[in-house]
Amino acid sequence: MGKMYRVMAFWTAIFSIMFYLGDMYTTSLLFLCITGFFLGVGFLKLSERMYVYIFGAFLTLFFIGFTYWTTFMMPLGGGGH
């Protein structure tokens, strides 16, 4: 199961590079931090249940942050009027 976290670290690193190349520096830094987290957890020798708990906690924090950002931080779309 730890190998799957290393795979997720690879893909978040790819996203981080792409965001950086697209001049989205804050998002790139966020994905770089997530890459470090996944890479660090991927090399721990934990039980499969613990890996699932960690992933569940990660998803919970992500959805809370995403919902907060889209509700309170994003501007309302006006359709270009």
Side-chain angles (χ1 to χ4, degrees), residues 47-67:
S47 67
E48 187 172 345
R49 178 178 291 193
M50 195 62 197
Y51 280 122
V52 171
Y53 285 159
I54 290 172
F55 190 65
F58 173 78
L59 285 181
T60 301
L61 290 175
F62 168 79
F63 284 126
I64 289 170
F66 181 78
T67 303

Side-chain angles (χ1 to χ4, degrees), residues 26-42:
T26 305
T27 310
S28 175
L29 184 61
L30 175 65
F31 270 76
L32 191 62
C33 292
I34 294 171
T35 299
F37 170 74
F38 281 155
L39 198 58
V41 170

